[in-house]
Amino acid sequence: MGNITKNVDPSLLQNQEALLQASETQLAALYSDLKTLVIATLSILIITVLALLLGWSLSRGLIYTKILKKKFNWDFFKRFVGLNVIISIIFIILLLIISALVQTQIKSMIYAGLIILVVLIYYITIIYIQFTKTKKIFASIGEGLSKGTKIIPKLIIPLILILLVGIGFNLISKLLILMGIPQSTYITILLLALYLAWARLYLLPEVNKLI
């Protein structure tokens, strides 16, 4: 055995050691690059979510305080951001539950998601109205759900109209995809934003009359 080791070319052993060292260096560099990429991705994601949350809270806050003739200030804004954080968590939980229940039925998931979206628009509108009047986060959620449930029979027609417009929006989105129109995804997102804005503005005065 000793003779075999002695007969091995020393340069070959050195080359193997150099390759092992190079592999270790490459793995360390790859790990460092992956770590940097993950941190950068998470940072961008967090910044994007925060920007969307703050932008949404600012725009909704200005709209509701103007319509309801209330004062928009820093205290209102930071409380409103907190309210939207809680609503976002509830929305994500509902979305996960729906995905788990109808994960193998895409069409069912789309229509179930559309119905839940209309329901959320309805209740969130009432919660926002209550919050704008009281500035109380949890009380607004409780009162919004309670009052919202009680006045549903009086808002059947507006809610059905919103749902029908949503179905129309869904059909238009499918048509754009089937026609292969360039940038159809961006057009769909724009239409969705317009639909949500219209639904809120249409529902707000109707709800405000009843609560």
Side-chain angles (χ1 to χ4, degrees), residues 147-168:
K147 291 183 178 180
T149 303
K150 290 178 181 178
I151 64 175
I152 283 178
K154 299 178 181 179
L155 292 169
I156 289 295
I157 294 177
L159 291 174
I160 290 176
L161 178 60
I162 291 173
L163 183 59
L164 290 175
V165 173
I167 293 173

Side-chain angles (χ1 to χ4, degrees), residues 163-176:
L163 183 59
L164 290 175
V165 173
I167 293 173
F169 155 77
N170 184 49
L171 293 175
I172 292 173
S173 300
K174 288 182 177 180
L175 184 62
L176 291 174

Side-chain angles (χ1 to χ4, degrees), residues 64-65 68-71 73 75-76 79-80 83 126-144 147 208 211:
Y64 277 81
T65 51
L68 299 176
K69 298 179 180 179
K70 298 292 181 179
K71 186 177 180 181
N73 52 31
D75 182 60
F76 176 90
R79 288 173 181 268
F80 197 48
L83 174 66
I126 299 174
I127 291 170
Y128 279 0
I129 291 173
Q130 290 298 126
F131 178 82
T132 304
K133 293 178 177 179
T134 64
K135 293 185 183 179
K136 296 178 180 179
I137 295 176
F138 293 103
S140 298
I141 294 174
E143 291 176 8
K147 291 183 178 180
N208 195 35
I211 62 174

Side-chain angles (χ1 to χ4, degrees), residues 62-204:
L62 289 171
I63 289 172
Y64 277 81
T65 51
K66 183 176 181 179
I67 292 175
L68 299 176
K69 298 179 180 179
K70 298 292 181 179
K71 186 177 180 181
F72 183 88
N73 52 31
W74 171 248
D75 182 60
F76 176 90
F77 178 66
K78 65 181 182 181
R79 288 173 181 268
F80 197 48
V81 171
L83 174 66
N84 284 317
V85 168
I86 294 173
I87 291 174
S88 299
I89 293 172
I90 294 172
F91 175 74
I92 291 171
I93 292 172
L94 289 174
L95 192 62
L96 291 174
I97 292 173
I98 294 171
S99 300
L101 291 175
V102 292
Q103 57 183 346
T104 58
Q105 302 174 12
I106 303 300
K107 288 185 178 179
S108 299
M109 184 175 177
I110 291 173
Y111 287 112
L114 183 60
I115 292 172
I116 287 183
L117 183 61
V118 172
V119 172
L120 283 175
I121 290 172
Y122 171 70
Y123 278 107
I124 289 173
T125 299
I126 299 174
I127 291 170
Y128 279 0
I129 291 173
Q130 290 298 126
F131 178 82
T132 304
K133 293 178 177 179
T134 64
K135 293 185 183 179
K136 296 178 180 179
I137 295 176
F138 293 103
S140 298
I141 294 174
E143 291 176 8
L145 294 174
S146 176
K147 291 183 178 180
T149 303
K150 290 178 181 178
I151 64 175
I152 283 178
K154 299 178 181 179
L155 292 169
I156 289 295
I157 294 177
L159 291 174
I160 290 176
L161 178 60
I162 291 173
L163 183 59
L164 290 175
V165 173
I167 293 173
F169 155 77
N170 184 49
L171 293 175
I172 292 173
S173 300
K174 288 182 177 180
L175 184 62
L176 291 174
I177 295 171
L178 290 174
M179 292 174 64
I181 295 177
Q183 310 299 329
S184 59
T185 301
Y186 298 105
I187 296 173
T188 300
I189 293 173
L190 177 61
L191 288 174
L192 178 60
L194 291 173
Y195 167 67
L196 293 175
W198 167 80
R200 285 178 177 279
L201 292 175
Y202 170 69
L203 196 58
L204 179 55

